[in-house]
Amino acid sequence: MHLPIDIQEYKKNIRLWFGGMFVPGREIHISRAPASQDVMGGTFDYAGSVAVGGTLEQAVIAGVQKRLDLRILLKYNDFESKAGQHIVEYQLDKFYSNGQLKPIDIISKEIQSEIKLPWASQVLEMLPAMLANNTPQKFQNGITICIKSNIPQNGGIGSNGAMKTAVLQAIKSAFNLSLDAFQIANLAKVNKIYTGSIMETASPVMGKKDKLLAMRCQPLELLKMITLPHSVQFLSIDTKYRQEACDLLLLNSRISAFMGQKIIFSHLEKQQKPNPYKGYLCNITPSEWEETFMQIAPEQISGKDFIETYDTHQDVAALIDPDTLYPVRDHTAFPIYENERVLQFIKAFDSMNSGHNKQALMDAGDLLFKSHDSFRNLYDLGSEKTDYVISLIKEMGPANGFYGARLTSESCGGTVLILTENQNVDETIENLAAKFLDKFQVKPILYKNSSQGALEFGSLTVKF
C-alpha cells in the first residue's frame, strides 16, 4: 500500500509529536481526510440543492487510541503552530446524569462553556452525537485523539470538516463501529448546522482523487461521481480576506429562505392546491417561481411580523429574531436559480466526458461566473481582492486555459474557485499571484491537485 506523504510523516514523527499522549505498545488507529472544494450548490443543502464538490491534496491526519480510564485527551498540531501548543482534557462521564445521556444541546453548552478552543469543542461535541445515535451505545473506554493538519484554518477549503471526518473515521476503526459515509458526513456537520456547505463534510468522506462528487441534499443522496477529463482541473486561490459577520449573514439568509418556503407552502395549503415539492425549495423550478410564487413572497419582512402571521418556519434549528428585517424574496429565489445552474453544470461535464466538447467546457465556466455574480451581488460577500482575481481570470480567458471562476462561501468571501483546461497553467497562476502581491502586498495561497477521501483511504493501525 502506497501511503500519502502526510501519512508517512505522521508515522515517522508520531513519537516526537505525540509521544506524551499515546501509550507505547497499544494500537493507534490513523485516518486521513482531505480538504474540500465546494464547486457549486453546497451552501444551500438546507433547501434541498444538488451540490458538486471535490477534494484537495491538503489533509488532516487523526490518530485515535483507546484508554483504560474514562478521560478524553486531545492534542492538535495545526498548519502554523509548533507541536505541543494545544492539549485539552475532558471526562466521558460528563455526558451523563444519573446514568442517562444528557440532552445534546445541554452537553454542547457545557462543552463550549468549559472548552475555549473551538477545534476541541467541535471534536468533543461529536461524541455525544454518536451516543445519541447509538453508534456506539456507550463508550466503554476513554479516547486519546491526536490531530495533525496541513490545512490553513478559515481558508475556504473545509479545514474543520476534514478534521472531524478524520477523527470520526479513526474512532470508527478503533471501536469497530458500523458508520457509513452518510452518517459520518452528518455527524461531522453536527455543530455547523446553520452555515457552511455539506461538501465540507461529504467530500472528505466520499471524495475520490480527480473526481467530483454530485449529491442531492434531500437529505443526502449520492447521485454520481463525475470523472474530470484529463486536461481539466479546478484550482482555488485564497486571498486571505475574511468577511466580518459572515456566519450571521449566511444564517439570516437561511432563515429568509425558510420563511419564503413557509409562505409558499401555506399559500398552496390555503388554496387547496397540491404540494409536490417534498418539503424542499429546490424542487421548485425557476419557471414555477417566476410564474406562480415570486409575487407571493414579500421583498422583506420583520421577524416579528412573520411570527405573528405564520408562527414559525420548518427549520427548527435556526431561530427567528423578531427585530431582524429578512430579505425573503431574493433569498428564497437564489437557491432555486442556483440549483438549476448546478444541474446544467453537471450536464456540461457529462457532455465533456462523452467527447470533450469544447463548448461544454465553456458552458460550465460561464455557469461558474453566473453563480459568482449572483452570489456576490445578493450576499455582498467578497472584496476588492477577490473581484481582482475574478477579473484577471476573465481577462486571461479560454485562450490561456481559464474558463470560469466563482467566490466560495466557505471562506467567508476570501477564496476563489477556478476552472482550467490546461493542467500546465502553473506559470500563469504564479504570474497572477505575483500581480496580486504587487497590488495588495498579500501573498495568496494556491490550492491544487486532489486526493482520496477518508473511506477510500480507510485506516492504518500502528504501535510504537
Side-chain angles (χ1 to χ4, degrees):
M1 178 183 180
H2 176 70
L3 296 177
I5 292 175
D6 44 22
I7 286 284
Q8 295 179 41
E9 291 177 346
Y10 192 98
K11 283 185 62 181
K12 179 182 177 181
N13 294 292
I14 194 167
R15 186 187 294 271
L16 172 65
W17 292 342
F18 308 118
M21 302 287 290
F22 289 132
V23 176
R26 191 182 303 163
E27 287 185 340
I28 303 166
H29 298 258
I30 300 172
S31 182
R32 177 188 187 277
S36 58
Q37 283 185 315
D38 175 23
V39 177
M40 282 189 78
T43 308
F44 306 102
D45 57 317
Y46 58 80
S49 66
V50 174
V52 177
T55 63
L56 290 165
E57 61 185 347
Q58 289 78 14
V60 175
I61 315 297
V64 166
Q65 186 182 66
K66 288 184 180 180
R67 300 183 57 81
L68 299 182
D69 56 22
L70 295 179
R71 297 160 71 203
I72 307 169
L73 290 184
L74 309 175
K75 185 173 181 179
Y76 182 82
N77 294 345
D78 65 16
F79 179 71
E80 297 172 333
S81 301
K82 295 180 180 179
Q85 288 195 350
H86 305 308
I87 300 176
V88 169
E89 179 176 344
Y90 206 73
Q91 294 286 337
L92 269 174
D93 55 15
K94 289 185 177 182
F95 297 157
Y96 296 89
S97 177
N98 297 321
Q100 299 295 316
L101 185 70
K102 297 176 185 176
I104 298 300
D105 59 338
I106 298 298
I107 299 175
S108 294
K109 288 178 182 178
E110 290 175 351
I111 290 173
Q112 292 169 18
S113 174
E114 183 174 341
I115 306 300
K116 301 305 181 183
L117 293 170
W119 70 268
S121 64
Q122 289 171 15
V123 170
L124 287 170
E125 285 178 71
M126 292 192 299
L127 301 180
M130 295 174 73
L131 295 168
N133 285 280
N134 292 315
T135 49
Q137 291 185 338
K138 189 177 182 69
F139 285 107
Q140 302 296 337
N141 305 82
I143 313 170
T144 297
I145 303 172
C146 294
I147 302 164
K148 175 65 177 174
S149 173
N150 63 13
I151 307 175
Q153 290 284 328
N154 302 315
I157 56 172
S159 58
N160 286 339
M163 174 189 68
K164 291 182 282 187
T165 298
V167 169
L168 285 166
Q169 181 70 9
I171 290 176
K172 173 185 174 181
S173 176
F175 288 85
N176 194 28
L177 302 177
S178 297
L179 285 172
D180 63 30
F182 298 100
Q183 288 174 308
I184 291 174
N186 284 317
L187 283 167
K189 205 173 189 291
V190 70
N191 45 20
K192 206 173 182 187
I193 294 173
Y194 305 139
T195 61
S197 165
I198 187 61
M199 283 304 167
E200 186 185 357
T201 58
S203 290
V205 187
M206 306 179 212
K208 295 181 182 291
K209 182 175 172 59
D210 298 324
K211 293 181 183 291
L212 294 179
L213 190 68
M215 312 284 299
R216 178 179 284 113
C217 306
Q218 299 188 19
L220 200 58
E221 173 192 0
L222 176 61
L223 295 181
K224 65 195 311 182
M225 299 296 298
I226 303 170
T227 301
L228 293 180
H230 178 69
S231 61
V232 172
Q233 181 181 22
F234 285 93
L235 309 173
S236 292
I237 293 181
D238 180 6
T239 66
K240 299 183 180 178
Y241 168 78
R242 301 293 179 262
Q243 182 95 11
E244 292 185 8
C246 171
D247 282 351
L248 179 60
L249 187 154
L250 293 175
L251 171 60
N252 286 340
S253 169
R254 174 185 175 124
I255 294 172
S256 297
F258 272 105
M259 284 179 165
Q261 177 178 302
K262 180 63 175 283
I263 290 168
I264 291 170
F265 290 175
S266 294
H267 170 79
L268 292 174
E269 184 178 358
K270 186 176 181 180
Q271 297 293 318
Q272 296 184 334
K273 294 180 178 180
N275 183 343
Y277 304 114
K278 301 178 182 178
Y280 292 102
L281 268 179
C282 285
N283 289 332
I284 298 173
T285 65
S287 60
E288 288 173 326
W289 164 256
E290 292 169 2
E291 295 169 8
T292 306
F293 300 126
M294 183 169 66
Q295 296 306 316
I296 296 172
E299 286 191 15
Q300 57 187 19
I301 190 171
S302 71
K304 179 177 181 293
D305 289 343
F306 180 87
I307 292 169
E308 287 179 352
T309 305
Y310 298 97
D311 186 33
T312 187
H313 52 24
Q314 283 85 355
D315 186 16
V316 296
L319 299 179
I320 299 169
D321 177 11
D323 298 325
T324 295
L325 195 62
Y326 293 96
V328 171
R329 184 178 296 170
D330 282 347
H331 289 259
T332 303
F334 187 85
I336 294 171
Y337 286 111
E338 183 74 353
N339 190 62
E340 182 62 27
R341 283 190 285 266
V342 176
L343 295 175
Q344 294 175 17
F345 184 84
I346 293 172
K347 287 181 180 179
F349 269 86
D350 287 343
S351 179
M352 274 184 263
N353 284 320
S354 297
H356 199 273
N357 185 328
K358 191 83 168 182
Q359 184 59 49
L361 183 57
M362 296 183 70
D363 290 344
D366 186 55
L367 287 164
L368 288 177
F369 281 132
K370 287 180 178 177
S371 173
H372 168 77
D373 290 341
S374 183
F375 190 72
R376 176 78 169 93
N377 294 333
L378 183 59
Y379 288 84
D380 199 28
L381 286 172
S383 66
E384 182 185 0
K385 294 182 176 69
T386 50
D387 288 346
Y388 180 71
V389 171
I390 295 283
S391 68
L392 289 179
I393 297 301
K394 288 182 176 179
E395 181 182 314
M396 290 185 292
N400 293 293
F402 294 89
Y403 284 83
R406 67 180 288 265
L407 189 69
T408 68
S409 65
E410 279 301 305
S411 60
C412 280
T415 296
V416 176
L417 176 87
I418 304 168
L419 172 61
T420 72
E421 181 185 24
N422 185 351
Q423 292 191 2
N424 297 315
V425 295
D426 289 358
E427 184 176 346
T428 309
I429 284 290
E430 290 299 332
N431 289 338
L432 185 155
K435 288 182 179 179
F436 187 93
L437 177 61
D438 287 343
K439 184 174 179 63
F440 298 106
Q441 286 74 56
V442 175
K443 185 176 181 180
I445 303 175
L446 175 65
Y447 305 115
K448 59 181 180 178
N449 301 326
S450 66
S451 61
Q452 60 190 168
L455 286 186
E456 189 178 17
F457 173 78
S459 60
L460 180 70
T461 302
V462 302
K463 297 179 183 179
F464 72 88

